Amino acid sequence: MCVTTAMVIPGENELLLGAIPMEDMDVLIHPQRRELVVNPEHPYYAQMKLKGIRR
């Protein structure tokens, strides 16, 4: 389980996720290649799901 802080900014802004929530969703950051990589231990499905809530 991962709990993170979110900031809601008015207007149409892009979503920015940090490294820890992304790793919780089994997406790893490869800093040398500057890309996102699916976790090789779970290549076919994520271990957690992200659901956004709009108010």
Side-chain angles (χ1 to χ4, degrees):
M1 176 181 239
C2 177
V3 178
T4 61
T5 302
M7 183 183 301
V8 179
I9 301 173
E12 293 188 22
N13 297 298
E14 291 186 25
L15 176 68
L16 176 64
L17 289 175
I20 294 172
M22 293 180 89
E23 288 175 358
D24 283 346
M25 294 182 291
D26 275 347
V27 177
L28 306 177
I29 299 170
H30 194 294
Q32 291 177 331
R33 296 191 319 217
R34 298 180 69 186
E35 65 183 14
L36 301 176
V37 180
V38 176
N39 188 343
E41 294 179 13
H42 312 114
Y44 301 109
Y45 55 90
Q47 297 299 298
M48 294 183 70
K49 294 182 181 181
L50 174 70
K51 180 177 181 181
I53 300 172
R54 289 190 168 243
R55 292 183 182 197

